[in-house]
């Protein structure tokens, strides 16, 4: 931490990134470097290129990769904690910023988003901040620690989170279903309504309790999703519109279904002072999952895309718990 005129210590202070009580220093360094290069990538959105050339995705990613490469040469003790291919990091950072509205993408150019703030439970979530503004960072997400805040919009609006509970979401769509006996040569797989760590989300056998559930075509290619129930040895089913299931959106329905059955796994966490370790038991719907990924670090950077094992600023976690509890997600401290 003291090398190069205490560079990492200054990054920790500037970005308000705190060390866990029992966190190994090597892990702390990897988190600091990851957040620092994400901020430098973000700053490249304001670069002035020759002849008014627009900022491209390639320019953004190259900036991250070059900066990360430099840091790893300066701190070789953490180089083995990062993947050999640094584009895994730059791709991931770009895709996550884009998915959470922190980068605007138009043909042949990218640009910073409009400035927004949203406050909840002592945390003001920030988007589109100027480079001169003092921010705190958890993962690659920016925020401020405040006692009060003036919301331009709600946090739910800012991240396009569900305005209703996941059970209400499931009930709303499943109660509109008109079932018919399904006659098709397609093969199907069925939502596993007894989820457990390591178990597949989809299994070969249907539920035969005559309750509504979800199934999908099992052939490679575009999946077709259905509500179904198994009644008197016959499948009764109703196809679900693509817009409700594409791009992992089926997770809104599956989370709601499991929550209604009281079998949706908890999101478990362990507090280690300023940081907490998250173990996500079941993938959240895309917007909620992306928000958590944005505001957390992977537990291991060799698997930067890990959806399940994450490290997060404890204050940010408490704000997210208060937010997601309102929509039916459960957290459990271990």
């Amino acid at each position: 931490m003291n090398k190069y005129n205490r560079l990492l210590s200054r990054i920790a202070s500037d970005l308000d990134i705190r060390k866990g009580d029992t966190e190994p220093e090597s892990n702390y360094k990897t988190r600091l470097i990851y957040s620092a290069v994400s901020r430098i990538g973000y700053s490249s959105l304001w670069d002035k290129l020759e002849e008014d050339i627009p900022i491209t995705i390639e320019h953004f990613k190259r900036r991250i990769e070059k900066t990360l490469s430099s840091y790893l040469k300066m701190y070789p003790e953490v180089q083995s904690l990062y993947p050999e291919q640094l584009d895994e990091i730059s791709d991931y950072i770009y895709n996550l910023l884009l998915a959470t509205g922190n980068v605007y993408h138009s043909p042949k150019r990218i640009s910073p988003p409009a400035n927004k703030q949203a406050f909840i439970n002592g945390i003001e979530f920030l988007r589109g901040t100027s480079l001169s503004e003092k921010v705190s960072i958890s993962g690659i997400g920016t925020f401020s620690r405040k006692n009060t805040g003036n919301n331009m919009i709600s946090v739910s609006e800012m991240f396009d989170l569900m305005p209703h509970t996941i059970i209400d979401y499931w009930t709303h769509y499943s109660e509109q279903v008109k079932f018919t006996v399904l006659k098709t040569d397609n093969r199907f797989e069925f939502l596993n309504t007894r989820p457990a760590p390591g178990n597949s989300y989809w299994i070969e056998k249907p539920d035969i309790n005559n309750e509504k559930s979800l199934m999908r075509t099992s052939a490679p290619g575009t999946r077709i999703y259905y509500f179904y129930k198994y009644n008197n040895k016959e499948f009764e089913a109703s196809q679900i519109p693509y817009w409700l299931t594409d791009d992992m959106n089926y997770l809104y329905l599956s989370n709601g279904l499991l929550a209604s059955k009281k079998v949706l796994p908890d999101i478990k966490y362990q507090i280690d002072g300023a940081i907490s370790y998250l173990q996500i038991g079941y993938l959240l719907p895309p917007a909620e999952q992306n928000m958590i990924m944005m505001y957390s670090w992977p537990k291991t950077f060799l698997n930067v895309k890990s959806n399940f094992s994450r490290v997060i600023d404890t204050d940010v976690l408490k704000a997210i718990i208060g937010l997601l509890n309102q929509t039916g997600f459960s957290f459990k401290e271990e």
Side-chain angles (χ1 to χ4, degrees), residues 168-184:
D168 286 345
Y169 187 92
W170 163 257
T171 301
H172 173 75
Y173 287 107
S174 64
E175 286 187 348
Q176 298 181 36
V177 174
K178 294 182 179 180
F179 286 106
T180 57
V181 174
L182 184 64
K183 296 180 179 179
T184 177

Side-chain angles (χ1 to χ4, degrees), residues 65-303:
E65 291 163 18
K66 289 178 64 176
T67 306
L68 179 54
S69 178
S70 296
Y71 274 122
L72 295 182
K73 288 176 182 176
M74 295 166 67
Y75 300 95
E77 65 272 22
V78 301
Q79 189 164 6
S80 64
L81 302 179
Y82 277 92
E84 291 185 11
Q85 302 300 321
L86 299 185
D87 58 357
E88 291 183 30
I89 302 294
S90 63
D91 288 347
Y92 178 72
I93 289 174
Y94 170 74
N95 289 332
L96 192 51
L97 289 173
L98 184 65
T100 53
N102 283 275
V103 168
Y104 285 166
H105 181 204
S106 55
K108 298 184 179 180
R109 70 186 306 154
I110 57 176
S111 57
N115 182 263
K116 293 181 180 179
Q117 305 92 35
F119 176 84
I120 188 171
N121 297 347
I123 296 294
E124 186 173 62
F125 293 95
L126 305 173
R127 177 185 292 166
T129 55
S130 69
L131 299 180
S132 61
E133 186 173 346
K134 173 69 175 176
V135 298
S136 301
I137 287 188
S138 180
I140 62 174
T142 54
F143 69 97
S144 293
R145 305 179 203 272
K146 291 187 173 183
N147 293 324
T148 60
N150 295 316
N151 281 6
M152 294 177 60
I153 57 174
S154 70
V155 179
S156 293
E157 290 173 309
M158 186 172 185
F159 293 99
D160 198 25
L161 308 180
M162 276 196 305
H164 311 294
T165 72
I166 49 177
I167 293 178
D168 286 345
Y169 187 92
W170 163 257
T171 301
H172 173 75
Y173 287 107
S174 64
E175 286 187 348
Q176 298 181 36
V177 174
K178 294 182 179 180
F179 286 106
T180 57
V181 174
L182 184 64
K183 296 180 179 179
T184 177
D185 293 330
N186 286 334
R187 298 185 65 182
F188 297 96
E189 54 190 17
F190 306 89
L191 186 73
N192 185 353
T193 55
R194 298 172 183 83
N199 286 359
S200 174
Y201 285 25
W202 299 91
I203 57 179
E204 294 181 355
K205 294 183 179 180
D207 288 337
I208 56 175
N209 53 16
N210 199 30
E211 294 182 359
K212 297 172 187 175
S213 189
L214 299 172
M215 68 181 189
R216 68 183 186 181
T217 51
S218 57
T222 301
R223 302 282 193 181
I224 302 174
Y225 289 77
Y226 296 80
F227 294 105
Y228 85 90
K229 59 182 179 178
Y230 195 70
N231 187 19
N232 295 325
K233 298 183 179 180
E234 287 187 313
F235 278 114
E236 295 181 351
S238 176
Q239 185 174 336
I240 303 172
Y242 286 114
W243 61 270
L244 280 175
T245 59
D246 280 1
D247 300 323
M248 303 295 285
N249 280 319
Y250 82 84
L251 286 162
Y252 289 101
L253 293 169
S254 65
N255 273 265
L257 168 58
L258 296 178
S260 71
K261 291 176 172 290
K262 303 187 186 313
V263 294
L264 181 65
D266 295 324
I267 301 170
K268 298 178 180 179
Y269 64 97
Q270 294 177 316
I271 296 177
D272 185 28
I275 62 171
S276 294
Y277 296 95
L278 277 180
Q279 190 63 42
I280 296 173
Y282 193 88
L283 277 177
L284 283 76
E288 286 76 7
Q289 184 76 32
N290 285 335
M291 181 190 184
I292 288 179
M293 301 287 276
M294 174 84 174
Y295 279 90
S296 65
W297 298 267
K299 192 172 183 180
T300 169
F301 284 85
L302 295 175
N303 185 15

